[in-house]
Structure formats: C-alpha cells, structure tokens
Amino acid sequence: MATPKQVLKSVGPKLVPFFKTVAIYFVLFIPVEQPSIFAMVIKCLPVLSLIAFVLLHGMSLGEEYTYSRRILLGLILSVVGDALLIWEDFFVHGLGAFLVAQIFYISAFGFRPFNIYVATVCYSLMALGVYLLMPGTSGAISFGMPVYTCLLLTMVWRAVARVQLFEELWTWTKLCSCVGGILFAVSDAFIGFNSFYCHVPHSQAVIMITYYAAQLGISLSVVDSKASYLDSLRDVKPQTDMQRCCSQPVSDSEDELRQDCSPCHIRASFTDDNSTLIQRKIVSMNSTH
C-alpha cells in the first residue's frame, strides 16, 4: 500500500495547475451576483485541470481504465454543471448535469462491499435534508432536488463503503475518494440550505472550498486504479483455474484415482487398516495365553 509521501511525490507536480487555478479563483473571487463568461471560465478552470490530471495517469478503452473513464466523465459533467450554475436561470440544467455526474461516480465506486450501516446513515441524512429543504422549493426543483439528493448520498455511501478500515483492505487513494465524497455532500448541503432554507454567511467561499477539495479527492482515486484492477485479476485467476480443473471431464481410471486420493477415502482406508491391526494383535495375544 502506497504511503501518503509516495502518493504526494508521484502526483504532486501534476496537481500544480489545479492549485494555481484554485488560487486564481479565490484571488479574483467574483461574487455569484455578477455572472459572466469570465466568471464561468475562472470557476471551471480547477476542475478542467483535474480532468487533465486524470488523463495524464493514462486513459484507454481497455477494462483496466474503466474506473478512470467513469471518474473522467463525472468530472466533465461537473464542469458543465459549474458553467450552467453561473446563471440562476440555468439552475435546473446545472442540477441535471451534476445528477448524471453522480451516476458516473457511483458506477465507478461500485456496490462491493455493500455496508448496510453506512447506507442507513446516508439515507437517514438524505431524508432529513429533503424534509428540511422541500418547503422552500417549487416547480421542477421540487422533483429534481430529492432525486439529486438521493443520488448524491448514494455516491457518498459507495465512496465510504470502499474504505474497509477495520479489515485493512484500504488504500490512501480509496481514502481520498471517501473524503471527496463526504466533502461533495457538505458543499451541496450548503448550496441547498443557502438557497432553500436560510442565508449562510460566507456561503460562496465555504461551498467552493469544499467543492474543489471534493473533486480533488475523487480525482486522486484514479492514481492506482489500474494497479488495483490488475491485482484483482491476479486474485481471481487461481480460483478460476481451480474451478476449470474441477469441471473438466475425466476418464474412469482418473476418476477412480481421484476418489482413492479423496480425504474421505483416505480416512476410510486408514480406519480399515487400523481395525485389521487391532484384530491381529488380539489374535496374537490370545495365542500367547
């Protein structure tokens, strides 16, 4: 398992554009009340740099890059959502883009291990959030917001469930996607409460800090995705070979040999031999007396 130092040394230089564009966004810090094409570009640059980061770690149509492709598609749709949310009139369209992005993230994280306890916590929080925010919604948002919230918390569930801390089946990159998923939900929670419940002080800064950190964590999870895929193939192959061997037809002589060497037959033979020896010993003792 790679250490944080190794991960940082490997990916650090490739993340320089991301940190520079994030710095530019917060230096300029164009208020959301002043939408413009320039504001859209500045807002989208950090996630565009993360798209480049994912591509630099390799990309193809092979199965070993399935995870990376899905994360890449999620990032692309997130950029579309960022661009649309600049203008209030396109809020529903931006929500739709992020909704599809969450589907790609969920498909990348998968549904194993299941972890019903994390699911219970996530969906309980979802129910609470929808209950609090629904009175402030109207129109298409009344339908779109609960659907998006459900997908968002499903993504968080799958991101957290991947990290099996107590079973020591985790990596730093999986932990990054876990933190990223949680921060994504935190960022969107601030958006929801600020838009539909009550005003949140410094909401734009809090939302964008948690959002960029979330996308960074999710993007970092592609670093060892190819190696993890190859490791899973190596684990599956011995089991497949054993199943193939057991399923092959055998001749009568091979079948007899296999039965002779089976554990049950060996135990039975050993028992018969012991019984014979005991009987011989009893006969010899009677003849002596």
Side-chain angles (χ1 to χ4, degrees):
M1 182 176 62
T3 63
K5 185 177 180 180
Q6 291 172 331
V7 172
L8 184 61
K9 186 176 180 180
S10 171
V11 306
K14 299 174 185 176
L15 288 175
V16 170
F18 169 75
F19 288 112
K20 284 185 176 180
T21 51
V22 169
I24 290 171
Y25 175 85
F26 283 104
V27 168
L28 297 176
F29 202 69
I30 303 172
V32 293
E33 295 82 9
Q34 301 175 15
S36 65
I37 297 294
F38 181 70
M40 178 193 73
V41 172
I42 296 301
K43 182 182 180 183
C44 293
L45 280 177
V47 181
L48 286 172
S49 66
L50 290 176
I51 291 174
F53 170 81
V54 172
L55 291 171
L56 285 173
H57 278 280
M59 187 63 60
S60 74
L61 296 178
E63 291 186 3
E64 66 273 19
Y65 287 108
T66 299
Y67 182 90
S68 297
R69 284 199 306 272
R70 291 171 180 173
I71 295 297
L72 177 66
L73 290 170
L75 289 171
I76 291 172
L77 285 161
S78 295
V79 170
V80 175
D82 285 335
L84 292 171
L85 289 177
I86 286 289
W87 292 277
E88 188 175 348
D89 293 340
F90 293 102
F91 185 87
V92 175
H93 304 81
L95 185 67
F98 275 108
L99 185 148
V100 181
Q102 300 303 339
I103 293 175
F104 280 112
Y105 287 151
I106 293 167
S107 65
F109 296 151
F111 283 89
R112 293 183 180 178
F114 192 77
N115 202 328
I116 189 64
Y117 304 108
V118 176
T120 302
V121 173
C122 287
Y123 289 122
S124 297
L125 291 173
M126 180 202 75
L128 177 62
V130 171
Y131 172 77
L132 292 174
L133 298 181
M134 277 298 291
T137 63
S138 61
I141 299 296
S142 299
F143 173 76
M145 190 271 289
V147 174
Y148 176 76
T149 305
C150 179
L151 287 171
L152 174 66
L153 270 298
T154 300
M155 183 275 292
V156 176
W157 165 36
R158 299 319 310 149
V160 174
R162 295 176 74 224
V163 184
Q164 299 172 268
L165 288 172
F166 299 107
E167 299 179 24
E168 298 183 356
L169 297 174
W170 62 281
T171 63
W172 283 105
T173 48
K174 286 183 179 180
L175 190 61
C176 286
S177 64
C178 170
V179 174
I182 293 171
L183 289 176
F184 211 126
V186 171
S187 177
D188 283 354
F190 275 106
I191 293 176
F193 277 90
N194 188 63
S195 301
F196 308 118
Y197 193 74
C198 65
H199 175 69
V200 178
H202 311 292
S203 58
Q204 183 179 352
V206 175
I207 289 167
M208 297 312 298
I209 289 172
T210 51
Y211 171 70
Y212 287 142
Q215 295 286 30
L216 172 62
I218 292 172
S219 300
L220 282 172
S221 66
V222 308
V223 171
D224 65 351
S225 60
K226 180 181 178 181
S228 298
Y229 173 80
L230 296 176
D231 288 341
S232 66
L233 286 183
R234 282 193 289 269
D235 293 339
V236 170
K237 188 175 180 181
Q239 299 177 9
T240 305
D241 292 341
M242 180 67 70
Q243 293 172 355
R244 188 184 298 114
C245 178
C246 294
S247 63
Q248 287 178 350
V250 295
S251 62
D252 293 340
S253 59
E254 290 176 336
D255 187 50
E256 291 175 0
L257 180 60
R258 182 180 294 178
Q259 290 177 0
D260 290 343
C261 294
S262 65
C264 293
H265 190 275
I266 291 172
R267 285 195 296 269
S269 300
F270 181 75
T271 304
D272 292 343
D273 291 342
N274 281 346
S275 299
T276 303
L277 289 173
I278 292 170
Q279 290 173 1
R280 287 179 180 176
K281 191 168 184 179
I282 292 172
V283 170
S284 62
M285 289 174 64
N286 290 335
S287 62
T288 302
H289 290 293

